[in-house]
Amino acid sequence: MSENFSRNLRSLCADYGSIAQVCRDIGLNRQQFNRYLNGGGMPSAHNLRRIAQHFNVSEEDLDADGAAFAAKRTRLQNPTRKGPAGLLSSIFENQAGPLRRYLGFYHGHFMTPTWEDKIMRTLIWLREEGGYIVSHTFERALSEDESIVQKTKYAGLAAYKGNRIYLLESANSEDGFLSESILFPAHRQQIRYLNGMTMGVATRPRMAPYASATIWKKLPERISTREALRQTGIFSFQDTRIDLIVRKQLKDGLGEQ
């Protein structure tokens, strides 16, 4: 059994990028987990159940031969759906395991044509629901002369593919426009900052498409949602309420030194 198990376990871990993070998510010792990967030992019944639950497979699947296991993974990644809608919905299924470490609240930062030469800070919440990772994004901004008031909510789904996070969201507005972000950790071993690009439609000029560098900063659990939302809005590049790492990331995205 150990030969099939170790091969299948290595295949599952390859999609996660970090063995250390898999161990932390499951709650297993890294040295112990390495023995499972190398075929040097088998987990107890309790640990086998925890591993199977983490990867959203059955304990029997972990012992399947190469062809049977590959077929099982194909069904998990591309479940059968009728009609074109299935092509998109299957992308976001079974993402609770890969994205569990990223759940929580973030401040997102980017730039749009509505607020020229300003940083927009939003509040983003990633949560799990039935194997899906659901996003909620809140934008709030007020210009100095109060001529522009922006309050927009987005809801969407996230998927983890090829060590990248893909987020597709729809705005709760009359236009119902879409936005997309692609993100990755600044460093593999930490998730305090997620860097990437975001694409969307600015409210002013009316429905103008844009693309911007973006950086998310993970919020500590002690901060309340109300306080995190109060800290959103528009900021200048000199505003020290936006930390230096975020400001530098966005300036680099503009090609500035």
Side-chain angles (χ1 to χ4, degrees):
M1 176 177 177
S2 60
E3 182 177 349
N4 282 344
F5 175 81
S6 61
R7 182 191 61 244
N8 296 341
L9 186 60
R10 289 194 300 270
S11 177
L12 290 167
C13 288
D15 289 341
Y16 280 69
S18 170
I19 300 298
Q21 187 58 48
V22 171
C23 293
R24 286 191 289 269
D25 289 344
I26 300 175
L28 294 176
N29 177 274
R30 174 66 185 269
Q31 185 176 2
Q32 178 185 20
F33 196 77
N34 282 341
R35 289 200 299 271
Y36 303 157
L37 290 171
N38 298 328
M42 286 296 299
S44 65
H46 175 66
N47 285 345
L48 180 63
R49 187 177 307 111
R50 292 164 67 187
I51 292 170
Q53 290 174 345
H54 175 77
F55 289 110
N56 194 34
V57 297
S58 70
E59 297 167 37
E60 291 75 18
D61 292 332
L62 290 170
D63 187 31
D65 62 30
F69 182 72
K72 173 66 176 182
R73 293 201 65 195
T74 298
R75 289 194 298 273
L76 283 173
Q77 295 170 355
N78 302 288
T80 302
R81 290 286 187 275
K82 293 183 178 180
L87 178 64
L88 187 60
S89 65
S90 63
I91 294 172
F92 297 100
E93 291 187 329
N94 304 309
Q95 293 297 309
L99 284 171
R100 184 171 290 113
R101 63 185 295 223
Y102 298 103
L103 300 183
F105 288 88
Y106 296 82
H107 274 151
H109 307 84
F110 59 95
M111 300 180 67
T112 82
T114 304
W115 310 98
E116 189 173 1
D117 298 325
K118 301 287 187 181
I119 297 172
M120 166 72 82
R121 175 192 271 173
T122 64
L123 178 64
I124 303 157
W125 179 28
L126 295 183
R127 64 179 181 84
E128 188 269 334
E129 181 179 324
Y132 291 90
I133 301 303
V134 180
S135 69
H136 302 274
T137 298
F138 305 88
E139 289 182 355
R140 291 189 175 184
L142 176 66
S143 62
E144 293 182 1
D145 62 4
E146 300 187 1
S147 63
I148 303 176
V149 179
Q150 183 173 339
K151 289 186 178 181
T152 310
K153 295 180 181 180
Y154 298 80
L157 294 170
Y160 189 82
K161 306 289 182 182
N163 298 324
R164 297 292 184 268
I165 300 170
Y166 294 85
L167 179 66
L168 182 62
E169 295 186 296
S170 176
N172 182 17
S173 67
E174 293 180 0
D175 302 305
F177 48 82
L178 302 176
S179 68
E180 181 181 2
S181 298
I182 303 174
L183 301 133
F184 56 94
H187 303 286
R188 175 172 289 185
Q189 300 306 321
Q190 67 86 22
I191 59 171
R192 187 182 182 194
Y193 296 99
L194 300 177
N195 299 330
M197 294 290 296
T198 189
M199 296 170 287
V201 177
T203 54
R204 298 190 183 194
R206 187 63 176 167
M207 300 297 287
Y210 71 91
S212 169
T214 188
I215 179 166
W216 292 13
K217 183 178 179 179
K218 187 74 177 288
L219 298 180
E221 293 184 2
R222 65 178 180 273
I223 188 172
S224 68
T225 305
R226 178 175 295 182
E227 175 63 16
L229 189 59
R230 189 184 67 80
Q231 295 174 10
T232 61
I234 55 171
F235 302 82
S236 73
F237 274 91
Q238 291 73 44
D239 197 321
T240 55
R241 289 175 295 177
I242 305 291
D243 73 37
L244 186 60
I245 291 176
V246 171
R247 285 180 278 154
K248 184 178 185 304
Q249 169 74 13
L250 294 179
K251 284 184 178 181
D252 289 346
L254 291 172
E256 297 180 16
Q257 301 300 320

